Amino acid sequence: NTLLLSAVRSGQTDIYTYKIDKQAIEQVTNDVYDDLDPSFVAFPNKTGIMYASNRPSAGAATSDDSLPSKRFNIFMVDNWNTSEFKQISQLTALKYGNARFPSQYNTSHFTFVSDENGVNNRYAGFFKTV
C-alpha cells in the first residue's frame, strides 16, 4: 500500500513515500543532496529506508554545513514514518567511485552496486546496530 520513490522538487532530489489508499505523499528527506535509489529494509531491531546519496556524511543537513560530495555512498534513514527525529546512518564510505542501488540481502546484509574499481560490481555490506 506504500510506494517509495525518489523525485525532484524545486530542483532538489529527495525521497518520498506515497500511500496508495490515502493518496497522500510524505517527504522523507529534505536537503540539497541527491537522494536516489530508495529501498525499504528491515534489519534486527531497526527498519528504515536505504538509499544512495552524495551527502558528505550522515550528519550533514544542508549545504550551509558542507557541499555535496563528488561520489555517492549508501545511507539509511530510520524513524522515517514518525514525527520524531529521523536518524540518518552512513553504511558505506567509498574512497573512489560510487555506491548505488542498495537492497536488502538478508537480516544482516545488504547489497549495492559500485564502480570503485572501474567496473560495476555488486558488493555485500554487513549491517550492525552499533
Side-chain angles (χ1 to χ4, degrees):
N1 293 330
T2 303
L3 295 176
L4 181 60
L5 58 124
S6 176
V8 178
R9 184 179 194 183
S10 301
Q12 66 186 45
T13 308
D14 289 305
I15 306 296
Y16 295 85
T17 60
Y18 178 73
K19 300 281 187 184
I20 296 170
D21 55 346
K22 298 178 183 175
Q23 296 184 354
I25 296 173
E26 178 186 341
Q27 189 169 1
V28 177
T29 61
N30 187 9
D31 52 49
V32 298
Y33 309 112
D34 293 321
D35 301 331
L36 306 171
D37 314 321
S39 175
F40 286 116
V41 294
F43 295 111
N45 302 322
K46 189 169 289 248
T47 61
I49 298 170
M50 251 187 334
Y51 61 97
S53 181
N54 64 347
R55 65 177 47 243
S57 68
T62 66
S63 62
D64 295 338
D65 296 327
S66 54
L67 295 173
S69 173
K70 293 180 182 178
R71 63 189 44 88
F72 283 81
N73 274 294
I74 305 301
F75 293 84
M76 187 174 114
V77 60
D78 60 6
N79 295 331
W80 60 271
N81 57 354
T82 66
S83 60
E84 297 175 19
F85 173 73
K86 294 176 184 173
Q87 180 181 347
I88 296 176
S89 304
Q90 186 170 352
L91 302 181
T92 65
L94 298 183
K95 293 183 180 181
Y96 305 103
N98 296 297
R100 298 282 307 271
F101 310 110
S103 63
Q104 185 166 356
Y105 181 69
N106 58 27
T107 58
S108 59
H109 292 85
F110 64 94
T111 66
F112 61 94
V113 174
S114 173
D115 60 354
E116 187 172 28
N117 66 359
V119 178
N120 285 328
N121 288 300
R122 184 156 293 276
Y123 293 88
F126 180 74
F127 181 81
K128 54 185 176 183
T129 57
V130 177

